Amino acid sequence: MLYGIYKDTRNAAWRCLIDYNVSELPVKPSLIARAAGIKVIKNSDVHELAPHESGASVLDGKQWYIIYDDENTRQRCRFTVAHELGHIFLGHELRKGYHARTFDTTRPTIEQQADAFAVRLLAPACVLWALNVRTMTEIAELCDISNTAAQIRAERMALLYARNKFLTSPLERAVHSNFEAYIQRKKAE
Ligand SMILES: [Zn+2]
């Protein structure tokens, strides 16, 4: 389940959607975590997060844990878990000298990568394209993400629609094919 070999977060997110047989929106990051053997824990149960943190991944021996701030909205909680999956699946370097090992969240690059992974996991471009979804409101509702995350995705989608090069990668075609039944069902609504 290490996707760090992929050069970018786009391929890693596609690979993750394929490997965990995701075939519908909204994508459920907690189910992906469970299938990957990662334990997802509410911060209100463990009180491990620092005040500024919304989530953390911890490797204790061989067991991965994702802790998320469950006082946030559901949409933000989902994004946090997807972001932490990004750190784990992209194989980000673990910080040393910690009782259990976690990621060095002071490095902006790995934070950006984890965010990019999360948005691509929760709002796959080829599915939005197949449903001709373009606006922040539609994306937020369909993908169950915050308006903030949906706005970023909507801006990206505008560029992708203009470029119109969907399904050129075999990975993206595989994702699209897994979502085929869902896409047909949504189109019929
Ligand atoms: Zn992070």
Side-chain angles (χ1 to χ4, degrees):
M1 68 173 194
L2 274 182
Y3 301 140
I5 51 160
Y6 291 103
K7 284 197 181 60
D8 58 46
T9 57
R10 192 184 59 171
N11 288 0
W14 283 335
R15 191 75 252 173
C16 184
L17 289 166
I18 297 162
D19 286 355
Y20 294 93
N21 296 309
V22 180
S23 58
E24 293 190 345
L25 297 180
V27 175
K28 298 192 169 58
S30 56
L31 289 187
I32 296 174
R34 194 183 305 164
I38 299 162
K39 294 195 173 143
V40 179
I41 301 171
K42 294 175 184 164
N43 191 52
S44 63
D45 288 339
V46 292
H47 306 287
E48 282 282 338
L49 296 176
H52 66 280
E53 287 179 323
S54 52
S57 304
V58 177
L59 179 62
D60 195 357
K62 282 189 172 175
Q63 179 64 53
W64 275 110
Y65 298 89
I66 290 175
I67 304 159
Y68 70 97
D69 182 357
D70 51 309
E71 286 180 4
N72 282 323
T73 61
R74 182 183 72 243
Q75 288 81 0
R76 278 209 53 193
C77 290
R78 289 165 41 70
F79 196 91
T80 300
V81 174
H83 171 106
E84 295 303 326
L85 284 177
H87 281 311
I88 296 171
F89 287 159
L90 293 164
H92 286 159
E93 204 177 319
L94 289 157
R95 185 168 50 183
K96 294 186 180 67
Y98 197 78
H99 71 280
R101 287 157 40 92
T102 185
F103 299 107
D104 185 356
T105 51
T106 59
R107 288 175 51 199
T109 325
I110 71 165
E111 289 314 307
Q112 282 166 10
Q113 284 177 358
D115 274 346
F117 176 90
V119 82
R120 286 168 164 155
L121 187 76
L122 296 173
C126 65
V127 180
L128 300 180
W129 164 75
L131 294 170
N132 194 27
V133 164
R134 294 165 187 264
T135 68
M136 174 195 81
T137 314
E138 289 175 298
I139 295 173
E141 192 187 321
L142 206 58
C143 303
D144 201 13
I145 58 179
S146 70
N147 284 344
T148 314
Q151 179 58 34
I152 292 166
R153 200 53 173 151
E155 285 165 17
R156 179 73 190 157
M157 285 307 296
L159 289 175
L160 296 177
Y161 277 116
R163 195 183 293 164
N164 195 25
K165 281 190 181 160
F166 294 96
L167 308 188
T168 55
S169 153
L171 285 175
E172 189 173 37
R173 285 199 291 276
V175 171
H176 181 262
S177 142
N178 283 354
F179 275 84
E180 189 67 51
Y182 168 80
I183 291 164
Q184 293 312 323
R185 203 165 71 237
K186 287 304 274 186
K187 277 185 173 173
E189 272 178 13

